[in-house]
């Protein structure tokens, strides 16, 4: 074999160096996705405040709809992929997962209200109130999720693609 040890293949450049690194990568990726969603929320707020030059084609729909799609996609991936894997390995976490999925439903409702406000041409104050509500629930949700699941993710052998479990931002 290329690395000199019989029956072993040479490590590829993109291989994770150890099983522990691979496992911890999921908790790190979850935190990174949450941070990217916080940044997307900030961009949506800044667009409402006209902080961007519209000559580049950037508008409220790009930032706000993009944020909504990213948050929804992340939660849908967790609901379909990550959470079933966690409950299969840790059935005692079903109440935690149920709470997180309730948060997802609440956030989806809030995102729908925000989208309706955009569609109706709501004023900036109204749009900011929607984002403030979404942001507050999102932060509470992310904090709870990280407190409850990061150590589980550090120890759980997940074989799926992170994008399947955490969404396109992973």
């Amino acid at each position: 074999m290329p690395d000199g040890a019989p029956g072993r293949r040479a490590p590829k450049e993109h291989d994770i160096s150890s099983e522990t690194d691979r496992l911890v990568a999921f908790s790190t990726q979850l935190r990174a996705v949450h941070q990217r969603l916080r940044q997307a929320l900030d961009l949506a707020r800044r667009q409402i405040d006209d902080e961007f030059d519209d000559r580049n084609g950037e508008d409220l729909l790009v930032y706000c709809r993009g944020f909504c799609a990213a948050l929804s996609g992340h939660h849908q991936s967790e609901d379909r992929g990550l959470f079933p894997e966690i409950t299969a390995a840790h059935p005692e976490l079903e109440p935690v997962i149920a709470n997180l999925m309730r948060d997802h439903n609440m956030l989806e409702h809030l995102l729908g209200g925000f989208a309706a406000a955009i569609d109706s041409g709501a004023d900036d104050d109204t749009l900011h109130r929607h984002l403030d509500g979404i942001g507050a629930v999102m932060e509470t949700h992310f904090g709870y999720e990280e407190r409850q699941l990061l150590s589980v993710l550090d120890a759980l052998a997940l074989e799926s693609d992170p994008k399947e479990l955490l969404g396109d931002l992973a």
Side-chain angles (χ1 to χ4, degrees):
M1 287 289 169
D3 69 356
R8 293 186 57 194
R9 68 175 175 84
K12 294 181 183 175
E13 188 174 307
H14 66 276
D15 284 351
I16 296 174
S17 63
S18 72
E19 183 68 8
T20 300
D21 290 345
R22 188 186 65 75
L23 295 174
V24 173
F26 275 93
S27 68
T28 300
Q29 285 180 305
L30 179 64
R31 282 189 299 257
V33 167
H34 287 173
Q35 188 56 35
R36 290 181 78 190
L37 288 165
R38 288 178 182 106
Q39 291 167 345
L41 176 64
D42 181 58
L43 286 173
R45 284 186 171 124
R46 291 173 56 204
Q47 179 57 42
I48 291 169
D49 293 335
D50 293 321
E51 289 188 27
F52 299 106
D53 180 3
D54 286 333
R55 289 178 297 155
N56 294 327
E58 301 157 333
D59 62 14
L60 184 64
L61 293 178
V62 171
Y63 289 100
C64 295
R65 299 274 190 206
F67 163 70
C68 292
L71 185 59
S72 289
H74 168 61
H75 289 156
Q76 289 168 8
S77 294
E78 286 181 330
D79 290 350
R80 286 189 316 257
L82 181 63
F83 292 168
E85 289 206 31
I86 289 173
T87 56
H90 294 280
E92 73 278 8
L93 291 176
E94 285 181 17
V96 169
I97 299 302
N99 287 337
L100 291 168
M101 291 178 79
R102 263 192 302 279
D103 286 353
H104 290 180
N105 289 333
M106 181 188 317
L107 281 161
E108 203 59 36
H109 174 74
L110 294 172
L111 290 171
F114 179 53
I118 292 170
D119 291 343
S120 71
D123 62 45
D124 291 355
D125 288 339
T126 300
L127 295 175
H128 274 294
R129 279 194 300 277
H130 279 279
L131 286 180
D132 289 345
I134 292 166
V137 173
M138 190 178 85
E139 282 303 323
T140 301
H141 170 76
F142 288 172
Y144 177 72
E145 185 172 55
E146 289 176 8
R147 283 189 308 278
Q148 297 298 316
L149 299 183
L150 288 182
S151 63
V152 171
L153 290 174
D154 285 345
L156 193 61
L158 298 170
E159 298 296 330
S160 299
D161 179 343
K163 289 186 185 297
E164 291 177 26
L165 301 179
L166 301 174
D168 287 336
L169 294 178

